[in-house]
Amino acid sequence: MTRVIVCTSGKGGVGKTALVSNLATALTELGQDVIAVDANLTTPNLGLHLGLHLAPKTLHHVLKGSSRLKNAIYPHPLGFKIIPSSMDINDLRGVDVGRLPEVTLNLLGKADYILLDSSAGLGREAVSAIDAADEILIITNPDLPSVADALKVARIASRSDKKVLGTVVNRIKGKKHELTRKEIEDFVGLPVLAEIPEDKN
């Protein structure tokens, strides 16, 4: 059975794309079939992170109806597959973001895990990515603005019929202003599943 998980956040720059890239790698190393989808249509970065920033066919083309889904799926040397989004601003014209759930539905059975790298915030694009998934993973940094935005996402998610897995606290630097695990759990009302330290590399 395919698990469709969206990695989302209320704030940009918290590390969703890095998490999706590394999660795809880790699950592949555990013997799982994974497809990573760049569901951030306006500011896509997953393809850029993974060396597919000039892919001829992308999620944009699929959502516009100018490409078949199978032509926008690319193998990565680490073993998983990627559906990148286009870096070309012109490709935003004619994109129907509301078709994203239809795309993930067509991926069911083709992998063990579908990981969606969502756009930040609570706009139509991010909500469409949440609608396209069965499970939600909220990414935050340990600072108050990020955690406050994570709470907003948690509230939106709680109104859907999706399973909210919890939060991942990324980019922990050990600074005095950072919230503790317990403070974040109390604030957002969800368990912290993982704490990832900042790595300059």
Side-chain angles (χ1 to χ4, degrees), residues 4-164:
V4 184
I5 303 172
V6 61
C7 294
T8 189
S9 71
K11 187 175 182 295
V14 297
K16 291 184 303 300
T17 302
L19 183 73
V20 168
S21 303
N22 285 293
L23 199 52
T25 303
L27 287 167
T28 300
E29 288 176 352
L30 290 169
Q32 303 296 308
D33 289 324
V34 181
I35 300 175
V37 182
D38 195 340
N40 186 345
L41 299 168
T42 48
T43 53
N45 283 302
L46 188 64
L48 192 62
H49 274 235
L50 298 172
L52 268 172
H53 51 286
L54 295 175
K57 298 295 179 185
T58 67
L59 182 59
H60 283 77
H61 299 101
V62 175
L63 294 175
K64 286 195 286 189
S66 63
S67 173
R68 297 181 68 182
L69 178 58
K70 68 177 186 177
N71 295 329
I73 303 175
Y74 301 87
H76 190 273
L78 291 175
F80 55 90
K81 296 181 182 72
I82 313 157
I83 300 177
S85 280
S86 175
M87 301 290 289
D88 188 343
I89 193 82
N90 295 317
D91 284 335
L92 280 170
R93 291 193 189 101
V95 167
D96 182 2
V97 69
R99 288 189 60 216
L100 197 53
E102 176 191 330
V103 170
T104 56
L105 191 64
N106 289 328
L107 290 172
L108 296 182
K110 293 181 170 61
D112 300 308
Y113 287 88
I114 309 297
L115 302 177
L116 301 174
D117 182 15
S118 167
S119 63
L122 297 169
R124 185 163 176 257
E125 200 175 318
V127 171
S128 185
I130 290 172
D131 288 343
D134 300 315
E135 301 174 79
I136 302 168
L137 193 56
I138 300 173
I139 321 304
T140 187
N141 293 155
D143 57 83
L144 191 54
S146 299
V147 174
D149 285 343
L151 174 61
K152 293 173 191 172
V153 175
R155 285 180 174 166
I156 292 288
S158 69
R159 295 176 196 152
S160 70
D161 58 350
K162 314 296 178 180
K163 180 180 180 182
V164 184

Side-chain angles (χ1 to χ4, degrees), residues 144 147-149 151 155 179 182-190:
L144 191 54
V147 174
D149 285 343
L151 174 61
R155 285 180 174 166
L179 279 69
K182 185 178 186 309
E183 287 171 334
I184 293 169
E185 289 182 333
D186 289 346
F187 196 101
V188 181
L190 292 169

